[in-house]
Amino acid sequence: MKGIVAAVPTPLDAHGAPVKDTFLEHCAWALANGCDALNILGTTGEANSLGLAHRKQVMAWAAEAFDPSRLMVGTGLTSLEDTLDLTRAAADMGYGVALVLPPFYYKPVTEEGLVAWYEALDRALGATPIEIYFYNFPQMTGLKIPADVVERLAKTHPKRFTGIKDSSGDLDYCRELVRRLPDLKVFPSSETALTEGPGAGFAGCISATVNISAPLCARLLQDPANETVADRVASIRADIAAHPLVPAVKYLVGRRAAESAWNRVLPPFQQLDDAACGSLDRIAETL
């Protein structure tokens, strides 16, 4: 798992259920237009607003349609039992990587508590052949996974805890993990980190906005010093992120695909107003 990974959204029907063909069309587009892999059912995929049955359904669609080596899937929930259920299901479908949030509800969470939770997941998985990537997103979870916790688990269980997606936006945190754990696959959440080049030691990026800018990001991955492309990638990301990110990404994907299912979002998200849609239309017209 490396390179440009799109955190793909989930299209919805009028009843809030995922829509198979629309979902698979966009996944195929992303893989054909610059993405090396896909992150299914992450934050952009509204995973934590979907029930377990719908999550398993979407997981199965992707696993049946695409090479599982190009897929990772979000399976982290506050319940260890539910996290285990989804992670085992992912492994059975052929996924090699599960992206797992920390148990964020009961706070404060000690470092020993975090280690114990992830180790309990590892023990319960036993010989199940699936790698776990930490998902550090303190803006959503209210807690940061300390570098000491990542280091301890990666060193004591090197075949299980093999990577991290960091959505904190703190590249110093990512750099520290690379320094401590050169074999850990560290993915910042912004494609702008690609400008640091291979010397930074990052595995790539896992991003929502590459659903829109994947072709440009592929160029930047190949030529990190290209300031013109770097500036354009950064500008697109900033312009999209000026709006509620998940509805904005879904709107732009729907505009490309000419498919209304992308305009639906699950509460607490709301559909964008006309002004926001007009602003996003202007972004799309420049691509």
Side-chain angles (χ1 to χ4, degrees):
M1 188 68 62
K2 63 180 181 178
I4 298 165
V5 184
V8 293
T10 307
L12 304 165
D13 67 18
H15 303 288
V19 182
K20 181 179 181 179
D21 289 346
T22 305
F23 172 73
L24 293 179
E25 184 279 333
H26 176 64
C27 290
W29 180 91
L31 290 173
N33 284 274
C35 291
D36 299 289
L38 306 176
N39 172 204
I40 308 298
L41 294 170
T43 300
T44 311
E46 296 173 270
N48 285 301
S49 295
L50 291 167
L52 293 182
H54 279 152
R55 289 176 74 153
K56 289 179 181 179
Q57 186 178 56
V58 173
M59 289 162 57
W61 292 342
E64 290 164 4
F66 305 108
D67 177 357
S69 70
R70 301 183 75 183
L71 304 174
M72 69 171 66
V73 60
T75 63
L77 294 154
T78 52
S79 161
L80 180 60
E81 182 178 354
D82 288 341
T83 300
L84 178 62
D85 179 27
L86 278 183
T87 306
R88 280 178 173 158
D92 289 343
M93 293 175 193
Y95 286 87
V97 176
L99 185 64
V100 179
L101 288 164
F104 57 83
Y105 181 77
Y106 292 107
K107 300 185 220 12
V109 183
T110 65
E111 292 191 9
E112 288 299 320
L114 285 175
V115 169
W117 192 89
Y118 278 107
E119 286 190 328
L121 177 60
D122 173 62
R123 282 195 304 273
L125 287 170
T128 302
I130 191 165
E131 298 175 25
I132 301 297
Y133 283 16
F134 303 99
Y135 189 4
N136 186 53
F137 201 171
Q139 296 93 320
M140 291 290 188
T141 63
L143 66 91
K144 178 180 179 179
I145 305 176
D148 288 347
V149 168
V150 176
E151 181 178 20
R152 180 170 163 185
L153 288 164
K155 285 184 173 178
T156 55
H157 308 280
K159 293 183 180 180
R160 180 74 73 193
F161 300 105
T162 59
I164 185 169
K165 177 189 178 186
D166 175 59
S167 292
S168 71
D170 183 358
L171 282 182
D172 285 339
Y173 173 81
C174 294
R175 295 182 188 107
E176 176 67 10
L177 290 174
V178 169
R179 185 188 68 78
R180 294 192 192 193
L181 300 161
D183 293 330
L184 189 76
K185 294 179 180 176
V186 178
F187 288 88
S189 63
S190 173
E191 55 271 36
T192 58
L194 296 173
T195 60
E196 300 211 0
F202 300 148
C205 70
I206 304 173
S207 168
T209 44
V210 301
N211 286 286
I212 314 306
S213 61
L216 281 169
C217 293
R219 289 175 59 190
L220 186 60
L221 181 66
Q222 295 300 316
D223 184 10
N226 189 320
E227 294 184 3
T228 300
V229 175
D231 289 347
R232 183 69 184 123
V233 165
S235 175
I236 291 170
R237 180 177 177 85
D239 289 346
I240 295 172
H243 306 279
L245 185 60
V246 173
V249 168
K250 294 184 80 170
Y251 176 81
L252 286 169
V253 170
R255 192 182 189 280
R256 177 197 62 76
E259 174 52 66
S260 63
W262 288 112
N263 293 330
R264 300 187 186 100
V265 290
L266 293 168
F269 288 124
Q270 294 183 304
Q271 289 186 336
L272 301 173
D273 59 25
D274 289 344
C277 291
S279 175
L280 293 168
D281 286 338
R282 288 189 288 275
I283 295 171
E285 288 164 1
T286 67
L287 295 174

